[in-house]
Amino acid sequence: MPTKLIAVLIAVSEDRPMVLTLEGGRVLPSGPLEAGHRSLQTGLRLWVERQTGHALGHVEQLYTFADAPDTDATDERSVLISYLALTRIHSGEHGWRNWYDYFPWEDQTTPDGRALVARIAAQLGDWARAAPPALGAARHQRIALTFGLEGLGWDDELVLQRYELLWEAGLVPESSPPAGATVRGQDMAGDGRRILATAMARLRAKIRYRPVIFELMPDSFTLLQLQRTVEAVAGQAMHKQNFRRLITQQDLVEETADLAPDTRGRPARLFRFRREVIGARRIAGSKLPLTRPV
């Protein structure tokens, strides 16, 4: 069974979470594992650099998927091994796309994102009511849980569960067969959106217990820039004072002697991440003060 290596490269630019893509945003960087590759990661790095020119730093294995053939039933299945890499966008690079282009309902920081969830809930409600009573009740419960309805609250980590529910209901173009009216959002070839959803969920979970958000930050930054980056990844707004108190209490950052040059009004102090805290003690968690959508 052939093995395919797939990379999900994530960066943040101008308060937007970005993913590196090919072929007009429809494909993630990937390539087959070849006999000459010394390891899975070696093969992945070679394919990504060859296709995008972007050299990978630290990567972590994300998930392994079984890819069903798209054409003839006699085609051989393949194993898809996906990896997550946090990076920064280099000047002159192309192919970076806002990940909310693929999952616009995941951005709960804007009225448009929250309104889209309401429209999706109505479409899913029709799907649940079209089923026999017992199945319809089970579907209704899943809809409420995954989309935070009926007072259950939005769980930003359920990215994959929301996408798979939409796929099952025939509301995305990748559904087989799709319903007549699909939900807004750019599709991807093969399992691309499923893999990206898995990466989004993994990163949203990790920022709660490891300081990985700083891998997406410049060397120095304001606290407002840091908060906006966390909000961009989580897709939820945070209370400004609670966020700053939490960050300073955990000793994750320290002031520099510099001020941000491009802020209006009172100049903002620049901070840097204290990387030594990783070795000095175990980070208990970021405990991000996320607010519920209103």
Side-chain angles (χ1 to χ4, degrees):
M1 184 179 294
T3 299
K4 187 176 183 180
L5 309 172
I6 302 178
V8 184
L9 277 69
I10 301 297
V12 172
S13 176
E14 299 178 350
D15 304 330
R16 296 178 300 169
M18 312 292 284
V19 56
L20 187 57
T21 66
L22 304 169
E23 299 183 17
R26 297 199 69 246
V27 174
L28 296 169
S30 63
L33 178 65
E34 298 178 345
H37 295 154
R38 298 193 308 273
S39 67
L40 295 173
Q41 285 199 19
T42 297
L44 181 79
R45 293 174 189 279
L46 290 173
W47 280 117
V48 169
E49 191 160 1
R50 183 184 306 173
Q51 294 174 347
T52 69
H54 193 104
L56 289 180
H58 173 73
V59 299
E60 65 174 85
Q61 188 167 331
L62 186 61
Y63 203 76
T64 299
F65 300 85
D67 183 37
D70 293 328
T71 54
D72 194 292
T74 61
D75 289 349
E76 189 174 10
R77 296 173 65 93
S78 59
V79 174
L80 310 179
I81 303 179
S82 57
Y83 288 83
L84 172 65
L86 305 184
T87 187
R88 299 174 189 174
I89 298 176
H90 302 151
S91 177
E93 287 187 333
H94 302 284
W96 288 98
R97 298 295 182 98
N98 188 334
W99 76 20
Y100 292 125
D101 290 347
Y102 302 95
F103 302 95
W105 56 87
E106 290 295 333
D107 186 3
Q108 291 295 290
T109 65
T110 67
D112 286 347
R114 296 191 289 272
L116 180 56
V117 166
R119 293 195 295 272
I120 289 173
Q123 290 177 276
L124 288 173
D126 292 340
W127 173 66
R129 286 187 290 272
L135 178 58
R139 286 179 174 180
H140 182 84
Q141 186 176 31
R142 287 176 61 201
I143 295 166
L145 177 63
T146 55
F147 282 89
L149 308 178
E150 301 177 3
L152 293 177
W154 180 266
D155 187 338
D156 61 293
E157 296 179 31
L158 298 181
V159 187
L160 181 61
Q161 289 88 334
R162 282 187 282 271
Y163 171 72
E164 290 186 332
L165 185 57
L166 292 172
W167 182 92
E168 185 180 339
L171 296 179
V172 292
E174 299 93 328
S175 300
S176 181
T182 57
V183 174
R184 177 168 57 90
Q186 182 173 335
D187 64 329
M188 299 185 86
D191 282 326
R193 272 215 287 185
R194 186 178 175 213
I195 294 170
L196 177 55
T198 304
M200 292 170 61
R202 172 73 65 85
L203 182 55
R204 285 179 168 185
K206 287 196 70 172
I207 63 175
R208 283 176 162 80
Y209 63 88
R210 294 291 293 171
V212 296
I213 197 69
F214 295 101
E215 300 299 322
L216 301 171
M217 301 298 299
D219 293 335
S220 59
F221 46 83
T222 67
L223 292 181
L224 180 58
Q225 289 172 330
L226 178 60
Q227 178 178 338
R228 286 177 173 171
T229 298
V230 175
E231 289 176 333
V233 171
Q236 295 192 76
M238 286 175 288
H239 187 277
K240 180 179 178 180
Q241 295 306 321
N242 287 351
F243 176 82
R244 296 193 174 195
R245 181 169 58 251
L246 178 67
I247 292 297
T248 54
Q249 285 177 349
Q250 293 187 9
D251 292 327
L252 294 176
V253 300
E254 64 182 5
E255 289 188 3
T256 71
D258 300 321
L259 299 175
D262 56 352
T263 55
R264 297 178 181 178
R266 182 179 178 182
R269 177 69 60 184
L270 289 174
F271 290 76
R272 74 170 186 91
F273 173 49
R274 296 182 63 242
R275 293 191 177 276
E276 57 270 24
V277 302
I278 297 178
R281 63 179 174 85
R282 183 175 181 270
I283 303 297
S286 56
K287 303 184 181 70
L288 301 180
L290 300 174
T291 64
R292 290 185 177 182
V294 295

